[in-house]
Amino acid sequence: MARIIVITSGKGGVGKTTTSAALAMGLAQRGHRTVVIDFDVGLRNLDLIMGCERRVVYDFVNVINQEANLNQALIRDKRCDNLYVLPASQTRDKDALTKEGVGRVLEELAHGYDFIVCDSPAGIEHGATMAMYYADDAIVVTNPEVSSVRDSDRMLGILSSKSRRAESNEEPIREFLLLTRYDPARVEKGEMLSVDDVQEILSLTLIGVIPESKSVLTASNSGVPVVLDRESDAGKAYSDTVARYLGDEVPHRFLQVEKKGFLKRFFRG
Amino acid sequence: MAGYQRTSVGDRPAVFELKAAGFTLPIIRLLEADIEAVAAELGARVEQAPEFFRNTPVVIDLSAFPEGGAKVEFPLLVGLLRGYGMIPFGVRGGNKAQNEAAEAMELAILGEHETRASRTERSAAPEEPAPSAPAGAAPSVQQGEHAANPRAGAGAAFTLVTRPVRSGQRVYAAGGDLSIIAAVSSGAELMADGNIHVYGPLRGRALAGMKGNTDARIFCQDLQAELVSVAGHYRVSENIPIELRGVPVQIYLDQKILRIEKL
């Protein structure tokens, strides 16, 4: 049976889709059959980040409405055989996601895959609650600033009360904190919350810290999950995060200001 | 002796009489199983006429649900109604599962004819209208998104929460004390009819003595609250002196003045 992971945050623009793409690719590269689902119906983005936007025929809502079957809608990644993308519909709205429909699709996927990554839309409304309802694990993506932290906290509350596991009194969802857009230099200056500050407030297991990096934007624009960029700090940090999710003990990197050499100071990476 | 219908035997004066009486009671007819939606609407109604609902016995009507319909969270519902001062004492029109759940909450099952004619043994027997409302046995309730796994302690109305109370969550310990052994985030709300104890940082709101108990107190290990209140006397974060923030304190009423004292 597949493990269902929801990537969520509450606040928008913190890096949920980037994280979904990177995590799904990372898991697939390590040999796990993985499917990543875009729950952001009406604001489809995952296909762009994954670089498969020109191959979308059917989408998630078609499958829910039984207008297409799963095999027709799933898009196989060209870089990794173990990875499939289930894109969102751009022409519908979130109400197209029904609890029964989503449940049925996840159930069907659960037999053929090891991991199902659900890319949640922002907000705490229907789309977001549908994305997290069936989850086994949740990765809460948070930026080191107060509004993002508060929204994550709110999302954690919803995870522990409105999910299937909560409603049926099963073991609660495993929750992890992923800090993105982290800038140690600004933390040092006191302009940004530190890892410790955020953990103090959220009291959650830290699964990774992704440093602020230009490579994320470049990767998104070119449709390549940033985890494939092995040269960049962000790519390495996502790779570490995937390893930690799978149970490896990997020390956190990029938490300190790098001592930059003379030349590096001019060509900031 | 209590089993007899008539208690006056021979010349002895009667100690009680059994009589039938009909009462007109408000009925809450549930149209949706979503207690949160009910809570939101009920809150608005009560706001308009709080006195009307105070200590009013109410019957919960489930007949609007289709057969085999949704599961009703009776503990939540009963606590919610009690939280607004009402005394829920019975249900009608429920199916078997709903009736069983209601009975577990010590609610009377009222048949259609009973509520209409009210001349049956069941409604006639107790003259007091609320056989199920011993205040001490009131369950704890969370409104809004409730924190996971709060446990009512043995016997007394005592609520224990072991997981963090997140922003947007509300925990209400009806009829008793509330203990939290985790962090309470800013934007979370704790309410208790009795005392509140917080053993993690308290960053949200804490309201003790919700029903006007002026002896209620708030105890916390690390005060960073947005608002603290005892029996309606409150103080917002801005008015909490800096030297009392981040330290263990107790908060209580001293002749209608809210005092915050270092422990």
Side-chain angles (χ1 to χ4, degrees), chain B residues 147-224:
Chain B
N149 310 324
R151 290 198 297 271
F158 161 67
T159 306
L160 176 67
V161 177
T162 54
R163 300 193 65 194
V165 185
R166 303 291 185 181
S167 184
Q169 292 185 319
R170 303 172 83 190
V171 182
Y172 178 28
D177 283 12
L178 174 62
S179 289
I180 314 273
I181 47 175
V184 178
S185 297
S186 90
E189 202 166 283
L190 308 179
M191 293 168 289
D193 292 340
N195 307 312
I196 296 177
H197 310 258
V198 183
Y199 297 94
L202 169 59
R203 301 193 178 96
R205 298 169 162 230
L207 300 94
M210 284 293 283
K211 288 201 176 135
N213 178 4
T214 51
D215 292 329
R217 292 185 178 211
I218 300 169
F219 304 89
C220 69
Q221 288 292 322
D222 180 355
L223 177 71
Q224 304 175 34

Side-chain angles (χ1 to χ4, degrees), chain A residues 124 150 153-158 160-162 169 172-173 175 200-204, chain B residues 36 145-146 148-149 163-169 183 185-187 201 203 224 226:
Chain A
I124 53 171
R150 175 178 287 186
D153 193 51
R154 179 92 168 89
M155 199 65 218
L156 285 161
I158 294 171
S160 63
S161 63
K162 281 194 177 168
N169 264 331
I173 295 177
E175 302 157 342
E200 237 273 289
I201 299 170
L202 294 179
S203 36
L204 214 58
Chain B
E36 277 183 37
E145 284 127 23
H146 41 290
N149 310 324
R163 300 193 65 194
V165 185
R166 303 291 185 181
S167 184
Q169 292 185 319
S185 297
S186 90
R203 301 193 178 96
Q224 304 175 34
E226 295 170 334

Side-chain angles (χ1 to χ4, degrees), chain B:
Chain B
M1 172 162 89
Y4 291 103
Q5 277 274 310
R6 292 209 169 272
T7 47
S8 70
V9 184
D11 295 334
R12 280 183 57 191
V15 282
F16 67 80
E17 283 180 301
L18 272 179
K19 280 187 173 177
F23 296 93
T24 304
L25 295 172
I27 285 173
I28 296 201
R29 191 151 178 256
L30 281 191
L31 305 174
E32 232 189 290
D34 182 0
I35 299 296
E36 277 183 37
V38 174
E41 213 174 302
L42 201 58
R45 297 274 186 95
V46 174
E47 199 87 344
Q48 288 167 6
E51 283 311 313
F52 177 77
F53 292 99
R54 195 168 315 244
N55 294 328
T56 306
V58 292
V59 176
I60 301 160
D61 187 335
L62 303 169
S63 58
F65 282 83
E67 190 64 32
K71 194 166 154 269
V72 181
E73 296 289 342
F74 281 107
L76 275 177
L77 180 63
V78 168
L80 174 73
L81 296 175
R82 284 186 184 154
Y84 284 124
M86 289 173 248
I87 306 169
F89 79 96
V91 297
R92 75 166 188 187
N95 61 24
K96 193 159 170 277
Q98 287 166 339
N99 285 348
E100 275 170 13
E103 270 181 329
M105 281 305 298
E106 302 192 333
L107 293 171
I109 311 297
L110 306 171
E112 280 302 296
H113 64 288
E114 285 179 88
T115 42
R116 282 197 189 134
S118 81
R119 270 180 188 274
T120 62
E121 270 181 62
R122 203 171 191 158
S123 53
E127 283 229 7
E128 47 135 12
S132 68
S140 63
V141 185
Q142 292 79 47
Q143 298 160 319
E145 284 127 23
H146 41 290
N149 310 324
R151 290 198 297 271
F158 161 67
T159 306
L160 176 67
V161 177
T162 54
R163 300 193 65 194
V165 185
R166 303 291 185 181
S167 184
Q169 292 185 319
R170 303 172 83 190
V171 182
Y172 178 28
D177 283 12
L178 174 62
S179 289
I180 314 273
I181 47 175
V184 178
S185 297
S186 90
E189 202 166 283
L190 308 179
M191 293 168 289
D193 292 340
N195 307 312
I196 296 177
H197 310 258
V198 183
Y199 297 94
L202 169 59
R203 301 193 178 96
R205 298 169 162 230
L207 300 94
M210 284 293 283
K211 288 201 176 135
N213 178 4
T214 51
D215 292 329
R217 292 185 178 211
I218 300 169
F219 304 89
C220 69
Q221 288 292 322
D222 180 355
L223 177 71
Q224 304 175 34
E226 295 170 334
L227 180 147
V228 289
S229 159
V230 174
H233 299 259
Y234 70 92
R235 229 197 266 193
V236 292
S237 163
E238 207 174 57
N239 301 332
I240 298 173
I242 192 93
E243 64 270 20
L244 294 172
R245 298 187 71 86
V247 297
V249 296
Q250 64 161 329
I251 299 160
Y252 60 97
L253 274 186
D254 179 10
Q255 301 181 353
K256 295 195 176 172
I257 294 168
L258 193 73
R259 295 219 182 271
I260 304 178
E261 190 181 279
K262 245 183 225 180
L263 286 175

Side-chain angles (χ1 to χ4, degrees), chain A residues 25 29 45 47 64 68 88 93 123 136 210 230 238:
Chain A
M25 180 59 86
Q29 282 188 321
N45 279 157
D47 53 329
I64 286 175
D93 60 28
D136 301 306
I210 312 299
R230 293 180 200 287
Y238 269 118

Side-chain angles (χ1 to χ4, degrees), chain A residues 173-185:
Chain A
I173 295 177
R174 288 196 303 171
E175 302 157 342
F176 302 100
L177 171 67
L178 179 71
L179 214 51
T180 55
R181 311 198 66 166
Y182 195 71
D183 186 342

